[in-house]
Amino acid sequence: MGTVIMHDVVSVDGFIADDNDDVGPLHEWYFSGDTPLTDEDQSGFRVSRVSAGYVRPMWESIGVIVLGRTLFDLVNGWEGDPPAGDHVVVVSHRPKPPGWHPEASYHFVDDIATAIDTAQELAGNRIVSVNAGDVGSQLLAAGLVDEVAMDVVPVVFGSGKRYFGRIDGQHLLEDPHVVIQGDRVLHLRFAVRSAS
């Protein structure tokens, strides 16, 4: 089974988007560097050399992305071509839109346990990347997340969509095992402390 990593870009005060689902300057570092993230460089992603050394192997190791219906709708499922991974699992009570990219490996499920089971089966030994926010926080609270990864951008939103959604209670993380300072971003990864 692959590692389940809850991941997103986040403001220093803990938001992944504003109240209108706008990410504002959170993703600017993805496009302001001098190093492409892919060999073909058709994606437009150009980060600092330091960030490329972290992001490129992480993205290459992702087998499946798990996300909620809100993000799917906002980005229209990346038109069936996700930025990383071969498959996408969407947690939603609504089915895939009729006729939407039938060739794309997108799987719509209606609960978080089925989402992780489906993602693990599709990913094999590769990483399952869970987007932060409401779905990510539900998975973390259910004990289904192995690591938390944050790309922290030096901006304060004040309000908006929280990285940890509406999670209840405390959830302990280990000391960060990745701390990398890129240009206009700090990459952090923490293992989730087991509840024992």
Side-chain angles (χ1 to χ4, degrees):
M1 297 269 206
T3 303
V4 178
I5 301 177
M6 181 173 155
H7 176 251
D8 221 316
V9 181
V10 61
S11 67
V12 294
D13 57 342
F15 296 100
I16 57 175
D18 68 15
D19 293 314
N20 299 314
D21 290 313
D22 189 343
V23 296
L26 287 178
H27 293 181
E28 288 177 2
W29 66 275
Y30 274 128
F31 305 99
S32 62
D34 56 6
T35 306
L37 279 181
T38 63
D39 293 333
E40 299 84 28
D41 193 34
Q42 296 174 7
S43 66
F45 291 111
R46 297 182 70 80
V47 299
S48 70
R49 182 184 52 76
V50 171
S51 287
Y54 169 71
V55 175
R56 188 180 291 148
M58 174 119 163
W59 282 17
E60 289 171 354
S61 66
I62 293 172
V64 178
I65 294 174
V66 176
L67 52 89
R69 186 59 181 252
T70 299
L71 181 57
F72 173 84
D73 288 343
L74 284 171
V75 299
N76 194 27
W78 302 288
E79 299 297 337
D81 186 21
D86 300 319
H87 311 277
V88 173
V89 175
V90 181
V91 181
S92 175
H93 295 296
R94 294 180 285 142
K96 184 188 324 186
W100 184 88
H101 296 282
E103 76 289 352
S105 183
Y106 279 57
H107 308 266
F108 285 66
V109 300
D110 63 2
D111 66 86
I112 60 168
T114 303
I116 289 300
D117 289 345
T118 302
Q120 289 284 19
E121 183 177 323
L122 291 167
N125 291 327
R126 296 176 73 196
I127 288 174
V128 172
S129 177
V130 176
N131 276 79
D134 287 337
V135 168
S137 66
Q138 291 173 46
L139 289 163
L140 179 64
L144 298 172
V145 172
D146 301 309
E147 292 186 22
V148 170
M150 308 173 99
D151 299 318
V152 183
V153 174
V155 61
V156 174
F157 271 32
S159 67
K161 309 293 171 125
R162 295 195 166 280
Y163 180 96
F164 289 104
R166 294 171 282 205
I167 198 163
D168 290 328
Q170 294 183 1
H171 299 271
L172 298 176
L173 308 176
E174 299 294 344
D175 289 337
H177 61 92
V178 172
V179 179
I180 299 172
Q181 182 177 338
D183 293 344
R184 304 291 301 157
V185 64
L186 177 64
H187 307 288
L188 300 171
R189 277 177 69 176
F190 308 82
V192 176
R193 188 175 290 182
S194 63
S196 57

